[in-house]
Amino acid sequence: MSAFATIRRPATLAVAIAATVGLTACGGGRERPQADLAAAQVTTIGVNSYLWRAALDAVSFAPLLQADSNGGVIVTDWYANPSNPAERVKITVTILDSNLRADALRVAASRQVSQGGGWVDAPVQAATVQKLEDIILTKARELRRDAVG
């Protein structure tokens, strides 16, 4: 048994040394590289923060029905302009990406007009939706420019 004990002790020591060397090779003493993230991506929300703030600002004239910053969805309730109470609009803004890009934004609008004591769906001009998208993108770019420089 003493021959077995003499072989066992150096073998255990060799395994312990090999494990230590193996763990050291995994980068135990080195620092991890830091990621260089764009300012808009260092947020606690799930979408581009500049687009989010710009969209909230752009639809602030209407009461909010839903605002989900993780999913990037803003839905307003029906809004009737006091100067034209026979017409009302509802807006949905969806932010699709964490990057500040034009294709990361989608705006949809619904319009209704008062007819015979009730509300009837009416078409929304494509230029109206495009104009709202342009307002949001312009504001988001301004917010980013102000934050960067």
Side-chain angles (χ1 to χ4, degrees), residues 43-98:
T43 64
T44 57
I45 63 175
V47 295
N48 185 280
S49 63
Y50 303 124
L51 284 173
W52 180 255
R53 288 185 290 167
L56 282 175
D57 185 53
V59 299
S60 64
F61 63 89
L64 288 180
L65 195 60
Q66 175 188 357
D68 177 12
S69 62
N70 285 324
V73 178
I74 300 169
V75 181
T76 69
D77 203 356
W78 289 104
Y79 170 76
N81 187 337
S83 64
N84 187 8
E87 175 181 277
R88 65 184 189 174
V89 294
K90 184 175 190 171
I91 301 167
T92 301
V93 178
T94 308
I95 301 170
L96 306 166
D97 198 348
S98 60

Side-chain angles (χ1 to χ4, degrees), residues 40-41 47-52 93-107 133-134 136-138 140-141 144:
Q41 294 177 340
V47 295
N48 185 280
S49 63
Y50 303 124
L51 284 173
W52 180 255
V93 178
T94 308
I95 301 170
L96 306 166
D97 198 348
S98 60
N99 295 315
L100 178 53
R101 302 179 345 188
D103 63 351
L105 178 69
R106 181 178 300 140
V107 176
E133 285 181 359
D134 291 344
I136 294 170
L137 288 168
T138 300
R141 288 182 190 117
R144 183 175 186 276

